[in-house]
């Protein structure tokens, strides 16, 4: 633990002249968190139980420098919230983890920080907007972004670019969005119906009233239970965190079928991938050159030096563009114009949406 603290002290004392981006993340589960701690040389964390992890403070674990193909260089930091999904049932712990990580980001002088993984969902669902004061710090919401606009744009690009390569004509296709009424899901629905022009949208979520409101907003789309939607879809976009126990009957899926696994954690591959059913990790981007960081090494990325969650990349993009503001904030506010803006920035600064078999889309197109 001494090492993390030393690193943090060194980081917080250094004079910050330029704006900086931040990333707040967490491990997929306690086991992975322990492995990460061992990888970084923190044996005390590696052998700690859930109670020990619940009481551990957030850690600024790494400083990062990224250079855009435009030549612009930015600096930032990765903060591990020391949250793990096993804590989701412990309301007060989850809330404390997210707020403490945000406080650390702000105190470390980070100008725009992405709330990665479950942290943005905890922020929204536990209504943390009411919790602006942490000890002697007043959180400045302008310094944080959920990163969901970029995530939604990347997922839509994955659908548009990969579907034709596996024989799916989107103009004739049924596309199911599981988690359609969520922040990312509703943006994906807007884009696919208005920009891509898919033949039919199948809207899936548990609560009926928000589904009907979305259907009204879109001027279309069919509301279906998950099991039925899966038997009718050529493309399925998963943007809900689904229980690990969910079972899917592969035999009833369309062939070909594209599954975009945009949820967290990414666990669809083992459940459905088979002949004719293609699974891509959704909402993941690949940068054009090695970043030279450690943080993605244990995040199940195939090329951890270049790949990352699109929400993290959003903080980098906002920094590259000198746009230090809470670009993605609140729920169901993502407009097509904002998706256009962040998408153009993404391309300009050298990010690519991930393709099938972990290959960037460009290599698929050139194959
Ligand atoms: P929201 O909480 O806004 O939306 C979740 C959606 O899923 C809602 O429509 C909800 O509706 C639905 N849902 C939840 N449980 C189920 C279920 N069992 N069956 C069907 N629908 C369900 O979340 P976000 O849009 O912010 O995030 C969605 C996912 O994307 C998350 O898993 C998140 O971790 C992941 N994500 C990925 C990122 C990346 O960079 N790749 C970045 C950010 C998020 P209802 O409650 O009515 O069922």
């Amino acid at each position: 633990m001494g090492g993390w603290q030393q690193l943090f002290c060194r980081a917080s004392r250094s004079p910050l002249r330029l704006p900086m981006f931040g990333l707040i993340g967490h491990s997929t589960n306690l086991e992975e968190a322990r492995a990460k701690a061992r990888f970084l040389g923190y044996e005390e964390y590696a052998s700690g139980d859930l109670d020990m992890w619940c009481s551990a403070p957030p850690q600024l674990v790494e400083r990062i420098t990224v250079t855009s193909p435009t030549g612009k260089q930015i600096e930032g930091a990765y903060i591990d919230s020391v949250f793990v999904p096993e804590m989701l049932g412990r309301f007060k712990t989850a809330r404390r983890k997210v707020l403490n990580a945000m406080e650390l980001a702000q105190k470390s002088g980070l100008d725009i920080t992405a709330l990665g993984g479950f942290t943005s969902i905890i922020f929204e669902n536990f209504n943390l907007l009411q919790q602006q004061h942490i000890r002697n710090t007043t959180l400045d919401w302008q310094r944080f972004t959920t990163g969901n606009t970029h995530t939604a744009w990347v997922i839509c690009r994955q659908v548009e670019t990969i579907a034709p390569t596996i024989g799916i004509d989107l103009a004739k296709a049924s596309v199911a969005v599981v988690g359609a009424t969520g922040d990312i899901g509703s943006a994906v629905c807007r884009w696919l119906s208005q920009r891509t022009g898919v033949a039919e949208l199948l809207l899936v979520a548990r609560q009926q009233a928000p589904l009907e409101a979305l259907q009204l907003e879109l001027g279309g789309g069919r509301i279906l239970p998950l099991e039925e939607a899966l038997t009718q879809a050529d493309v399925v976009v998963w943007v809900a965190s689904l229980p690990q126990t969910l079972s899917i009957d592969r035999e009833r899926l369309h062939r070909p079928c594209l599954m975009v696994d945009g949820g967290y954690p990414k666990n669809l591959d083992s459940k459905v991938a088979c002949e004719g059913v293609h699974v891509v990790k959704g909402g993941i981007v690949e940068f054009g050159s090695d970043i030279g960081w450690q943080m993605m090494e244990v995040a199940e990325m195939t090329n951890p030096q270049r790949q990352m969650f699109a929400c993290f990349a959003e903080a980098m993009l906002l920094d590259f563009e000198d746009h230090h503001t809470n670009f993605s904030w609140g729920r169901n506010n993502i407009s097509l114009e904002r998706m256009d803006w962040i998408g153009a920035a993404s391309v300009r600064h050298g990010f690519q949406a991930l393709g099938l078999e972990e290959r960037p889309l460009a290599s698929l197109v050139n194959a």
Side-chain angles (χ1 to χ4, degrees), residues 148 179 181-184 206-207 239-241 262 264 283 309-311 331:
N148 284 351
T181 52
D183 195 38
I184 299 171
R206 292 164 303 181
Q207 300 168 77
V239 274
S241 298
Y264 188 88
F309 298 104
C311 59
R331 277 294 181 261

Side-chain angles (χ1 to χ4, degrees), residues 207-268:
Q207 300 168 77
Q208 191 66 16
L211 278 168
E212 286 171 6
L214 177 68
Q215 192 181 41
L216 197 65
E217 182 207 315
L218 296 172
R222 251 190 321 139
I223 298 170
L224 283 180
L226 177 60
E227 297 70 28
E228 264 183 67
L230 290 182
T231 63
Q232 298 185 26
D234 303 294
V235 178
V236 185
V237 176
W238 299 82
V239 274
S241 298
L242 293 167
Q244 299 276 356
T245 49
L246 175 81
S247 72
I248 297 168
D249 183 356
R250 289 187 173 116
E251 298 310 312
R252 302 188 68 202
L253 299 174
H254 273 200
R255 304 285 197 280
C257 181
L258 172 63
M259 298 269 182
V260 183
D261 189 2
Y264 188 88
K266 307 211 176 292
N267 50 11
L268 268 184

Side-chain angles (χ1 to χ4, degrees), residues 147-207:
N148 284 351
T149 311
H150 190 225
T151 302
W153 181 83
V154 167
I155 287 172
C156 292
R157 289 302 297 146
Q158 289 178 302
V159 171
E160 291 174 345
T161 320
I162 299 170
T165 68
I166 58 168
I168 297 172
D169 177 358
L170 289 172
K172 296 178 183 158
S174 289
V175 181
V177 180
V178 183
T181 52
D183 195 38
I184 299 171
S186 58
V188 167
C189 288
R190 268 174 227 126
W191 183 282
L192 293 180
S193 63
Q194 292 173 41
R195 287 286 165 85
T196 318
V198 300
E200 184 181 43
L201 270 183
L202 309 176
L203 312 176
V204 182
R206 292 164 303 181
Q207 300 168 77

